[in-house]
Amino acid sequence: MVHVWPLALHDGELTLRPLRRRDRAAFERLRQRNARWLRPWDATDPEHGPRPMDFRTLRRWSQEQARLGLALPLVITVQGRLAGQITAGPIQYGALRSAVLGYWIGQDEAGRGVVPRAVALLIDHLFAELGLHRIEVTVRPENAASLRVVEKLHLRPEGARRSAIHVDGAWRDHLVFALTAEEVATGEDGRGVLRRLRREFPADTPTT
């Protein structure tokens, strides 16, 4: 139960790893290409509107949060290509031992089972390696794709938070989903959520 950074998690052609300096061009192209696709789900500043963090600031912030053990900000790669991001944070220890997950994926990889695998892979790490107890995901009610992700991973619905997060220019309601360590049968290899996902959706979870 030690927070390790830098960190890389693998499942076949899928890898979760830190953002690197040399990712800048590919990352900026990915965000620009998917700007319209991601806009309905991107958090915004209620005072200043959309103000995306520049790459250098984003990478510096990600590294600082990770080194302090406050978050695990990782990019999603498929066969070495940047496809999206997934972050666990804030990570809280002590009596809570919990984390909130957020993620996004480019349109080219959407619907191919990449996000459920990435989320399952990270949850397994948080439970088995960091000893966390509870993982939470919040989803806009309109986000059908993300609702399908939490459904596939058996996260429990826990209700709604009204006007919870400023997204796409307004305060938006979010549905809350959660999973605790007791709800997962984790094997000696540290895999539990991913193993269940692979068993239930074998076509979406290649092993090589």
Side-chain angles (χ1 to χ4, degrees):
M1 299 182 185
V2 177
H3 181 91
V4 175
W5 187 261
L7 168 75
L9 304 174
H10 306 278
D11 181 54
E13 85 292 358
L14 173 69
T15 297
L16 312 182
R17 62 162 177 80
L19 193 62
R20 301 168 181 164
R21 286 191 183 91
R22 60 179 177 270
D23 290 327
R24 180 170 188 165
F27 183 85
E28 291 179 345
R29 283 196 302 269
L30 182 65
R31 289 293 308 186
Q32 290 167 4
R33 192 166 65 245
N34 289 280
R36 183 176 296 180
W37 164 258
L38 296 172
R39 187 173 297 118
W41 323 118
D42 274 347
T44 46
D45 186 325
E47 292 185 4
H48 305 289
R51 298 183 67 182
M53 199 179 294
D54 67 83
F55 180 86
R56 187 182 214 176
T57 303
L58 173 63
R59 184 176 177 277
R60 186 187 310 120
W61 178 88
S62 298
Q63 292 286 340
E64 289 174 354
Q65 292 289 299
R67 289 193 187 104
L68 292 170
L70 301 177
L72 282 177
L74 304 164
V75 292
I76 302 170
T77 71
V78 179
Q79 295 181 338
R81 300 186 309 273
L82 286 179
Q85 282 185 290
I86 184 167
T87 299
I91 296 174
Q92 301 181 83
Y93 295 96
L96 289 177
R97 287 191 172 272
S98 67
V100 179
L101 296 192
Y103 46 82
W104 62 267
I105 194 78
Q107 190 170 11
D108 290 346
E109 294 293 343
R112 299 184 180 185
V114 172
V115 171
R117 287 171 65 201
V119 174
L121 188 60
L122 186 51
I123 290 177
D124 281 342
H125 174 78
L126 296 170
F127 282 160
E129 300 300 326
L130 293 192
L132 297 190
H133 174 254
R134 173 186 164 92
I135 305 302
E136 183 177 302
V137 176
T138 60
V139 181
R140 283 189 63 182
E142 303 87 353
N143 193 341
S146 200
L147 290 174
R148 182 60 175 149
V149 171
V150 295
E151 179 186 4
K152 282 186 173 184
L153 300 180
H154 295 268
L155 273 73
R156 284 176 291 97
E158 293 191 334
R161 290 180 180 165
R162 302 301 179 191
S163 300
I165 307 173
H166 201 270
V167 173
D168 192 27
W171 292 104
R172 311 288 185 177
D173 296 347
H174 280 69
L175 302 175
V176 181
F177 299 86
L179 188 68
T180 60
E182 295 92 343
E183 297 172 282
V184 181
T186 302
E188 294 182 0
D189 60 356
R191 301 290 170 88
V193 183
L194 186 58
R195 179 182 292 111
R196 181 171 61 191
L197 178 69
R198 180 163 286 123
R199 183 175 64 247
E200 296 179 356
F201 299 94
D204 292 343
T205 53
T207 56
T208 59

